[in-house]
Amino acid sequence: MTRSDNKPYHHGDLRTALLEAASSIICESGIDGLSMRRLADQVGVSRTAPYHHFKDKNALLCAIAEKGFEHQDAMVQELMDKLGPDQNRQRFKRWVRAYIRFAHENPETYDLMYGREIWKRGEPTESLQQVSRASFRLWVDLVDHMQQQGVLSCQHPALKTAQASWASLHGLTRLLIDGVYLDRTDLEEIAETLVDLITQ
Amino acid sequence: MTRSDNKPYHHGDLRTALLEAASSIICESGIDGLSMRRLADQVGVSRTAPYHHFKDKNALLCAIAEKGFEHQDAMVQELMDKLGPDQNRQRFKRWVRAYIRFAHENPETYDLMYGREIWKRGEPTESLQQVSRASFRLWVDLVDHMQQQGVLSCQHPALKTAQASWASLHGLTRLLIDGVYLDRTDLEEIAETLVDLITQ
DNA sequence: TAGGCAATCTTTACAGCGTCAAGTTAGACC
DNA sequence: GGTCTAACTTGACGCTGTAAAGATTGCCTA
């Protein structure tokens, strides 16, 4: 078959292009708006071309989630470095706010990172599991530090406390991105209340 | 067209039959396993017959979620009545455990009740909204009571405290049903830790 | 008891989905 | 130049939600 258009047969960097297009589709149409066919159309390749770079749709979603973890970690980390060593309670509150803000600005990515689409319905890539574990370790470290500074109770070990407090934060976040609490201002107050409840 | 089979043209109580079949399908195959076509097949009607009882799939899911709220409320309420008036901390812990147990036993229903499928992707029925608000009011009442008994802090008003604490509980529950923490025993410990964090 | 209406149910069809199988193209290496 | 392989296309299958239009029935009224 002759190739009338000037588009080359091989794309060159299809994997990257797919990831970028997928992020953009998810951003404006949500996860439901992302289909392998629509994605392929947008990039300008055949409908099954993406399958040479991602085993299936689940693998593509895992890759997006992975990028999400990196983004979130970088953002939160950078924010923490700005604070002096003596403002620990501030530091904790700031982390909570940054966490919620990230989810608010990237709700669909957050859903992929911590939602059932990948973790229950599909199955997380080995690579994704590593990244997510590393991300959680950041939280455990922070909690450990907060315990030593007396911001959080030492009644339970750092790991358990980290699990429990992160679960709380995650719950609050989910309410926002799942549309149960739509009001962001309202949610900020609840977050404030939550931190007061948890910290001592 | 002659009706060779003895099945009558009108089902009689199709709405109820659909709800029961849908619950059963969800129970054994998850929400993803529930399609309008499969549902209709199972009940033995044509594929579009269900649309005469539910506007669309969203309406069907809302009806299932509604039944879920009633089930959960009844279960928790019954459990609370068994306790004497002086065991308030016990009462609180028991509620938390019952809440998590319900979600563990009915993960797909829980997801419908509090998940994005209905609240963000679709839109909750007016009827569902009422039932869910009533259910949340039960929680606010409990929190109010716990504040008066000194189990929970009075630093913030009952509503805010109820929102924050329920968000925590919800977060923990989601981790379980979304497959992030698979170990139920592990989760019980975290729940214990959470209650210790929140109560004073 | 007959007529008509509204509720219920069926048939048919459409556009979309994920992905498998088989064929085509092009670049890379011996 | 020949061969191997990765990248890509074409075509197909079975699944999805649901709109449109026709068939059947129970019920209510005259």
Side-chain angles (χ1 to χ4, degrees), chain B residues 127-140:
Chain B
S127 164
L128 175 61
Q129 290 187 44
Q130 283 176 18
V131 172
S132 75
R133 270 196 292 265
S135 179
F136 181 65
R137 222 167 293 134
L138 279 178
W139 176 254
V140 180

Side-chain angles (χ1 to χ4, degrees), chain A residues 2-11 40-41 43-46 49:
Chain A
T2 60
R3 302 196 61 75
S4 53
D5 45 1
N6 7 5
K7 183 168 68 79
Y9 190 87
H10 287 276
H11 180 281
D41 283 356
V43 174
V45 291
S46 76

Side-chain angles (χ1 to χ4, degrees), chain A residues 32 108 111 116 119-121 156 160 163 167-168 171 174-175 177-178 181 186 189-190 194 196-197, chain B residues 32 108 111 116 119-121 156 160 163 167-168 171 174 177-178 181 186 189-190 194 196-197:
Chain A
D32 303 335
E108 307 292 332
D111 189 35
R116 61 164 34 195
W119 294 94
K120 183 166 190 181
R121 193 143 101 183
H156 296 270
K160 281 277 168 292
Q163 288 170 324
S168 300
R174 280 231 78 108
L175 294 188
I177 69 162
D178 288 347
Y181 282 150
D186 203 27
E189 276 183 59
I190 301 175
L194 182 67
D196 288 341
L197 270 183
Chain B
D32 303 336
E108 307 292 334
D111 189 36
R116 62 164 33 193
W119 294 94
K120 183 168 189 182
R121 192 143 103 185
H156 296 272
K160 282 275 168 292
Q163 287 169 326
S168 301
R174 280 231 77 107
I177 69 163
D178 288 347
Y181 283 150
D186 204 26
E189 276 183 60
I190 302 175
L194 182 67
D196 288 341
L197 270 183

Side-chain angles (χ1 to χ4, degrees), chain A residues 66-136:
Chain A
E66 217 173 303
K67 283 207 321 179
F69 274 109
E70 284 154 14
H71 180 187
Q72 187 188 34
D73 288 353
M75 173 180 157
V76 174
Q77 194 70 262
E78 183 214 19
L79 191 139
M80 299 308 282
D81 294 341
K82 287 186 192 158
L83 272 181
D86 51 338
Q87 303 160 282
N88 282 302
R89 203 187 158 78
Q90 278 305 317
R91 192 185 286 257
F92 188 75
K93 282 203 176 182
R94 202 177 268 228
W95 184 305
V96 168
R97 268 199 294 270
Y99 187 96
I100 294 177
R101 179 150 45 86
F102 171 81
H104 186 64
E105 284 166 3
N106 311 279
E108 307 292 332
T109 307
Y110 186 91
D111 189 35
L112 282 181
M113 292 160 66
Y114 302 108
R116 61 164 34 195
E117 178 69 43
I118 286 177
W119 294 94
K120 183 166 190 181
R121 193 143 101 183
E123 49 179 331
T125 313
E126 183 59 41
S127 164
L128 174 62
Q129 289 185 46
Q130 282 175 20
V131 172
S132 75
R133 270 195 292 264
S135 178
F136 181 66

